[in-house]
Amino acid sequence: MNQITTLFVLVVVLLCGSKLEAKIFERCELARALKYNYHIPAHQLATWVCIANYESHFNTGAINTQSGDHGIFQISQIYWCSNSNSPGKGCNSVCSRYRDDDIRDDVACIKKVFAEHQRLFGNGFHAWTTVFLSNVI
């Protein structure tokens, strides 16, 4: 290979490897994923789907630059994820991981958030202000 071809291949590999792919879920698609892939209890599904709708319009790449919330469930960088390159805070993760198309880590984190708020306040959903604003529960 000549130098230009080698450089071109290197640039393409670097661009592909560093690209974050976001996804906008359909409502029922998210509900199915939460239920069957991530074992969210059936009685919680409607609330989680509503939270995702109000918080991010089902967009995994959503970021609120004012509050520092990330991803489809708008996970807070204040308490739950690190806005640096090193994992940290309550979910021991970097916030950018919540802005890709893989919601596995998002769901693991929201389960922690939910459990902590359930333990402290008796309602795990109260961690999301949208629950109050939308009268979800």
Side-chain angles (χ1 to χ4, degrees):
M1 268 197 282
N2 66 32
Q3 288 180 339
I4 293 176
T5 304
T6 304
L7 181 61
F8 176 75
V9 169
L10 180 62
V11 168
V12 169
V13 168
L14 289 174
L15 288 175
C16 290
S18 65
K19 188 175 178 184
L20 288 177
E21 291 289 330
K23 174 183 174 93
I24 298 175
F25 275 84
E26 296 293 328
R27 181 179 52 128
C28 293
E29 174 189 19
L30 178 62
R32 279 190 301 274
L34 292 174
K35 181 176 182 180
Y36 297 113
N37 299 349
Y38 305 108
H39 312 291
I40 295 293
H43 69 277
Q44 293 181 357
L45 284 176
T47 305
W48 286 117
V49 169
C50 192
I51 287 171
N53 180 37
Y54 280 100
E55 292 285 355
S56 68
H57 303 289
F58 304 114
N59 183 356
T60 65
I63 183 169
N64 184 326
T65 55
Q66 292 179 346
S67 66
D69 295 339
H70 301 263
I72 192 168
F73 297 107
Q74 291 292 277
I75 296 168
S76 173
Q77 72 185 31
I78 296 171
Y79 304 107
W80 300 103
C81 63
S82 170
N83 207 23
S84 71
N85 291 329
S86 300
K89 301 196 181 169
C91 289
N92 195 33
S93 183
V94 293
C95 298
S96 62
R97 300 248 356 231
Y98 302 131
R99 296 192 314 267
D100 61 14
D101 62 350
D102 181 359
I103 64 168
R104 182 181 0 215
D105 45 9
D106 306 56
V107 174
C109 185
I110 65 169
K111 285 180 176 181
K112 286 182 183 180
V113 175
F114 182 89
E116 183 69 8
H117 280 259
Q118 186 72 29
R119 185 182 66 78
L120 292 172
F121 308 112
N123 188 328
F125 289 115
H126 284 183
W128 286 267
T129 56
T130 192
V131 171
F132 297 113
L133 299 175
S134 63
N135 280 333
V136 173
I137 57 173

